[in-house]
Amino acid sequence: DQGKYSEAEPLFIEALAMRRKLLGEEHSDVAQSLNGLAYLYYCQSRYSEAEPLVIEALAMRRKLLGEEHSDVAQSLNFLAYLYYCQSRYSEAEPLVIEALAMRRKLLGEEHSDIAQSLNFLAGLYRDQGKYSEAETLYSQALAMQRKLLGEEHPDVAESLNGLAELYRDQGKYSEAETLYSQALAMRRKLLGEEHPDVAESLNGLAELYRDQGK
């Protein structure tokens, strides 16, 4: 994969330079190229190089699209995730909250993107030990996804897995085991026996049993 990253990087940089030359410094396609290069750096854990690109894209989108737009919310979430990956929780949290409020205003109270934001914020709280806040958000996201997507969907399995991790963190092993098992069975059915998400559920269940000395 590293070889592919090294081949991709000059192409992203060339495309960005070309768009700037043809379209000017501020254009939605320029912002898209900034995010593309930033995502490449993110995939390599080159967070310090990704961050200024995402910040530039966010500022550009705000100027071009206004303060409330789905692309602005996407950039807010991307920047928040970069901070989250570096455990910069106090910087990530207000961005996730802003993106969530924006999506609610643009999309209404029930939408898959809103459930995604709820899950993100829940994970942020869980990692800071804010378990009650996290549980509320995970439960809201799970209920919304079940209503919108049905009982069996990869996003539902992801929420089940997140809630299971929260319970494991609190030593609520029986509740965690039930949810891990549900998520694992759902992922196997939907994604097949060999998929990274299946491996994630297997690993979570294994860690749960290890924590209990099984």
Side-chain angles (χ1 to χ4, degrees):
D1 287 345
Q2 292 300 321
K4 292 181 181 179
Y5 291 143
S6 65
E7 291 170 32
E9 184 175 349
L11 299 178
F12 274 115
I13 291 172
E14 184 181 358
L16 174 60
M18 191 180 299
R19 282 178 165 174
R20 279 180 157 151
K21 184 176 181 179
L22 294 171
L23 303 171
E25 286 298 314
E26 293 183 340
H27 190 280
S28 59
D29 288 350
V30 174
Q32 182 185 42
S33 286
L34 287 166
N35 273 336
L37 182 58
Y39 186 73
L40 179 72
Y41 291 150
Y42 155 75
C43 290
Q44 301 172 80
S45 301
R46 294 163 64 181
Y47 303 129
S48 62
E49 293 167 89
E51 183 180 339
L53 300 177
V54 180
I55 290 172
E56 185 180 354
L58 172 60
M60 194 178 298
R61 283 176 163 174
R62 278 180 155 150
K63 184 173 182 180
L64 293 170
L65 304 171
E67 285 299 316
E68 294 181 343
H69 190 279
S70 59
D71 288 350
V72 174
Q74 188 269 339
S75 286
L76 286 167
N77 264 346
F78 190 4
L79 184 57
Y81 197 71
L82 288 177
Y83 292 151
Y84 174 78
C85 290
Q86 300 172 77
S87 300
R88 294 162 64 180
Y89 301 130
S90 63
E91 292 168 270
E93 184 176 342
L95 299 177
V96 181
I97 290 171
E98 184 180 355
L100 174 58
M102 193 179 299
R103 284 176 163 174
R104 278 178 160 150
K105 185 169 183 180
L106 293 170
L107 303 170
E109 285 299 316
E110 292 185 340
H111 190 279
S112 58
D113 287 352
I114 291 170
Q116 181 189 53
S117 288
L118 289 169
N119 267 334
F120 188 3
L121 189 56
L124 188 66
Y125 286 151
R126 187 192 79 219
D127 286 354
Q128 297 177 82
K130 299 178 180 179
Y131 297 133
S132 61
E133 296 97 321
E135 183 173 359
T136 298
L137 296 174
Y138 273 132
S139 298
Q140 287 176 1
L142 178 59
M144 191 180 299
Q145 287 168 335
R146 280 176 159 154
K147 183 176 180 180
L148 294 170
L149 305 170
E151 287 296 318
E152 292 188 340
H153 189 278
D155 290 352
V156 173
E158 182 182 358
S159 288
L160 287 168
N161 212 72
L163 195 54
E165 289 176 353
L166 176 68
Y167 288 148
R168 181 168 65 86
D169 288 346
Q170 298 175 84
K172 298 179 179 179
Y173 298 131
S174 62
E175 295 97 322
E177 183 175 356
T178 298
L179 297 177
Y180 272 132
S181 298
Q182 288 176 4
L184 175 59
M186 193 179 300
R187 283 173 162 174
R188 278 177 158 155
K189 182 176 180 180
L190 296 170
L191 305 171
E193 286 296 321
E194 294 186 348
H195 189 279
D197 290 350
V198 173
E200 180 188 38
S201 288
L202 286 168
N203 195 67
L205 197 54
E207 288 178 348
L208 176 70
Y209 291 148
R210 183 200 63 201
D211 291 348
Q212 298 174 84
K214 296 181 179 180

